[in-house]
Amino acid sequence: MNTAGHSQATAPRGLELTPFRGLRYDPDRVGSLAAVTSPPYDVVVRPDGLHQLQDADPYNIVRLILPQATTAGERNEQAADTLRRWLAEGVLTADPEPALYVYEQRHADGMLQRGLIGTLRVSGPSEGVVLPHEDVMPHIVADRAALMRATCANLEPLLLTYRGAGAGAAARVVDEATTRPPLLSTTTLDGYAHRLWSVTDPDDLAAVRSDLARHQALIADGHHRWATYRRLRAEHPSPSPWDHGLVLLVDTARYPLRVRAIHRLLHGLPVADALTAVRDHFRVRRLDVPLAEALDALADAACAGNAFLLAGDGAFHLLDRPDPALLARTVPADRPAAWRTLDATVLHATLLDHLWHVPEDDPARIAYIHDTAATVDKAERDGGTAVLLHPVREEVVRDLARQGVTMPRKSTSFGPKPASGLVLRALDL
């Protein structure tokens, strides 16, 4: 988002993206680069997806971002030991000089995304440089912070977007890099082809820095990791390596992202009980159709107002037309109308809090899952309730963020997300 019209008090420094010595897998030491990658830690469907990734290659990045042990302390120490071992064995090696990295994702369906990976100066909300649009869960921030402290590393980049008007020095540097042979090229099981280039020329780096200094960014994916960066920066006297955090920065004027919903899996709440609690307050319709058709019905209903799709008992149940009086009683009135009418707002304030009494930050009661079919499958296996949402439009997200209004946690899923494992950052290099 261009901030040329903003005052210096709003964004005194703008985006500061700096080069770093990336840690990358030695392709001769692993089965394949695709086999060592993973989706971001919060997208991995557990336990099935986790086990598949662990089995894909003994060096899969999931062993660092989601270590498995009995206690949190043991998990973090295991990740730190694994990282030290891989570095000692040469499985991961540091590039010889600091660089920004041009990262490309391409899919056969026509999706093309390019951006810059670097370390971004960590700033607070009052600076207006990096805009969050979702709330975070304190226990997840604490978990990520403990892992970063133990490993002294940023193990995966978060995803930020800015509006560069499709031109400028950063766009030129990205385009020129992609004319050269890449550092790496691989295609992952999801059909995405990934390529990475390094940018080390001092003039190019200076041009990118000057260009980005005029912009602010929206957090597209990685609110908990950004909050973790801020916590760790506060713990270490400046200047220190913790003043910066690993990000992928995408100009969505050139490469628009896709916005998808993040679904909920309610443990211990059978669909029958969930429906009983809502029948007097929502219109409920049973849909005995395949998932794709049920999602189409959800999209149609969402055009007229709040709508949700429940699953887990072999059918789909469409909830819409909530009782206006119930919404007036349960949805906070001190926010903009665009926030009060969000499906995620109604889900958390009305359904989870008021009707179902499910705490939104209790992992024993609720899980947040990006994959639609996986959410339904797990609900059917576990006897819980899947709550499927329709995605919110990107313009709504950006407008609320500009107003300083955060959406309910896990309201959106921007993509494509960067694959974890292609480039890491060790803070002691």
Side-chain angles (χ1 to χ4, degrees):
M1 286 168 285
N2 197 316
T3 58
H6 286 235
S7 69
Q8 288 299 306
T10 301
R13 299 172 69 177
L15 297 169
E16 296 182 22
L17 193 69
T18 58
F20 69 106
R21 292 181 63 198
L23 287 182
R24 296 189 293 112
Y25 281 99
D26 180 345
D28 294 331
R29 298 296 307 273
V30 298
S32 73
L33 288 176
V36 295
T37 65
S38 164
Y41 78 97
D42 58 337
V43 181
V44 176
V45 178
R46 287 163 264 186
D48 300 350
L50 179 65
H51 293 156
Q52 291 170 6
L53 291 165
Q54 288 177 329
D55 293 342
D57 191 284
Y59 299 116
N60 189 282
I61 191 67
V62 78
R63 298 180 186 277
L64 299 182
I65 63 174
L66 288 173
Q68 298 300 293
T70 304
T71 68
E74 291 171 342
R75 289 193 294 272
N76 295 328
E77 189 54 40
Q78 180 184 99
D81 289 344
T82 300
L83 179 58
R84 284 192 290 266
R85 185 173 72 254
W86 290 358
L87 288 169
E89 295 174 354
V91 174
L92 286 170
T93 59
D95 284 334
E97 58 183 321
L100 296 180
Y101 296 86
V102 173
Y103 175 46
E104 177 188 275
Q105 293 165 280
R106 187 186 294 269
H107 197 275
D109 66 4
M111 165 61 77
L112 172 65
Q113 178 172 288
R114 289 172 176 161
L116 286 164
I117 296 177
T119 65
L120 188 71
R121 182 180 68 87
V122 179
S123 58
S126 63
E127 294 186 54
V129 176
V130 176
L131 303 178
H133 70 267
E134 288 183 359
D135 293 329
V136 297
M137 302 178 217
H139 74 277
I140 296 181
V141 175
D143 174 75
R144 291 294 101 183
L147 178 63
M148 288 188 202
R149 286 190 205 98
T151 58
C152 198
N154 299 152
L155 300 172
E156 47 186 346
L158 53 87
L159 175 61
L160 303 181
T161 72
Y162 74 105
R163 302 289 292 178
R172 174 187 61 78
V173 169
V174 167
D175 289 345
E176 290 179 355
T178 59
T179 65
R180 305 192 301 266
L183 293 174
L184 64 85
S185 178
T186 190
T187 300
T188 45
L189 289 177
D190 57 7
Y192 277 96
H194 307 261
R195 295 197 294 172
L196 193 76
W197 298 262
S198 64
V199 177
T200 58
D201 180 82
D203 291 338
D204 286 342
L205 295 175
V208 169
R209 185 179 184 91
S210 177
D211 186 0
L212 295 180
R214 301 180 295 110
H215 297 284
Q216 63 181 173
L218 175 74
I219 301 176
D221 184 72
H223 282 81
H224 289 91
R225 281 167 284 167
W226 182 255
T228 300
Y229 291 167
R230 292 183 54 225
R231 173 180 290 193
L232 293 172
R233 183 198 64 170
E235 293 176 0
H236 296 81
S238 187
S240 83
W242 300 97
D243 291 341
H244 294 76
L246 187 64
V247 307
L248 165 63
L249 192 60
V250 173
D251 179 359
T252 52
R254 307 186 76 205
Y255 304 106
L257 271 64
R258 294 174 176 173
V259 188
R260 293 185 169 90
I262 302 176
H263 309 297
R264 276 62 169 165
L265 174 62
L266 310 183
H267 303 299
L269 180 66
V271 174
D273 293 349
L275 292 172
T276 297
V278 303
R279 285 196 185 279
D280 293 338
H281 308 287
F282 286 75
R283 182 173 68 166
V284 179
R285 288 176 285 167
R286 179 186 174 100
L287 306 176
D288 291 299
V289 297
L291 174 59
E293 291 183 33
L295 291 174
D296 287 341
L298 174 63
D300 290 341
C303 292
N306 299 118
F308 310 91
L309 203 60
L310 305 191
D313 62 351
F316 296 99
H317 307 271
L318 183 62
L319 276 57
D320 65 355
R321 299 185 183 178
D323 176 11
L326 175 66
L327 298 184
R329 292 197 310 272
T330 57
V331 175
D334 60 345
R335 304 286 184 91
W339 182 90
R340 297 197 306 272
T341 55
L342 289 170
D343 287 337
T345 297
V346 173
L347 170 61
H348 283 259
T350 305
L351 288 169
L352 291 177
D353 291 352
H354 185 75
L355 296 178
W356 291 332
H357 307 293
V358 175
E360 60 183 308
D361 56 357
D362 182 355
R365 299 290 305 282
I366 185 170
Y368 298 81
I369 304 178
H370 294 70
D371 186 278
T372 309
T375 311
V376 175
D377 290 344
K378 288 180 69 64
E380 292 181 346
R381 288 202 310 265
D382 302 342
T385 295
V387 185
L388 308 182
L389 287 84
H390 185 66
V392 65
R393 292 178 294 112
E394 182 179 358
E395 312 89 81
V396 174
V397 177
R398 183 171 285 107
D399 287 346
L400 286 171
R402 283 173 173 157
Q403 297 176 54
V405 177
T406 54
M407 299 167 64
R409 58 197 61 175
K410 299 293 184 181
S411 293
T412 60
S413 176
F414 283 86
K417 304 177 190 305
S420 298
L422 296 181
V423 61
L424 294 67
R425 176 202 181 207
L427 275 77
D428 51 4
L429 285 180

